[in-house]
Amino acid sequence: MKRSLLPAVLLLPLALLASACSSPSSADSGAGSNSDGKGSVVLNVGDQKGGSEAVLRAAGELDDLPYRIQWSTFTSGPPLLEAVNAKAVDIGSVGNTPPVFAAGADSKITVVAATHSDSAGEAILVPTDSPIRTPQDLKGRTVAVAQGSSAHFQLVASLKQAGLSLDDIEVTLLQPADALAAFTSGKVDAWAVWDPYTSQVLANGKARILTDGRGVVNGLGFSVASPAALADKEKAAAIGDFIDRLRRAQDWVHDHPDVWAKVWAKETGLPYEVALAAVKRSSGTRIAVAIDKEAIASEQAIADTFAELKLIPRKFDFADYVDTRFNKNLPPSTTAPRGYGKGSTS
């Protein structure tokens, strides 16, 4: 497999960095917490811009917290899980592939909750006027992707479906902000990415979807916790409560796509129309599901794929990195995601 790293390209305005921000920073969520109480629990939560904190606040789920939350913001899932491994973060939400890379490196992480969403937002994008018309046309082309991200597996799986492999393309490993700049400036031929970037690039009319993740990837997302936090009785209780709040907030997002899109747009600087498109294409379709045998088997397949490609250093059992105590009575992981009916983006 050919690999090349582009030099750092133009930094984009903050408005364009939908899921990408600078190095980790943190701030307490003070609403309704017992922050002045003796021995109060502080839950360290990893987040991405416009992510869990924004949606929980919009849904009213940060009111009356029985613990404090300290937020740290990351550019994507892999660095967030590095912080979980280092015990700097107790829990955070990521896509389906970052836990595989982290577990492959024998990081100290535990998957504790799952969601299933429409995979239409997972896409390989090409410029509108590109001669690339089918995935087979990617042979010999340069494709940008964030290493260890959900888009990384989507790229691998899409190539396999087209009879190609990573050896047939030139992979450029870039985090989203740099990949967006490289794509829009023509430094790469294609970009494997996720929403809201997919919706953002499509909105300007200068790109089209070559192929998306439907029928290719499992559409799962995960909450991943630190084993040390789970071993602490009080923190484990806070993690369980936090997961419940996230699940209720996701229900709220699905029922209030317009309201959430306005909040998300304000948080990220995305145009409202782009945020709404991303909600209807992907984020609003999420449904909380159990971490069951099917979910574990699906993730195991991802792990085995990357191990065979030698992109992770070893083979392992994904089940060893799962804690099902928070499953409750959730539906199976194969439960269809929600949608918005005919005429919606999804």
Side-chain angles (χ1 to χ4, degrees), residues 67 120 233 238 294 336:
Y67 48 87
K233 185 177 180 180
E294 290 76 15

Side-chain angles (χ1 to χ4, degrees), residues 167-178:
D167 289 331
D168 293 309
I169 66 172
E170 186 173 341
V171 178
T172 301
L173 300 174
L174 293 173
Q175 284 294 310
D178 288 338

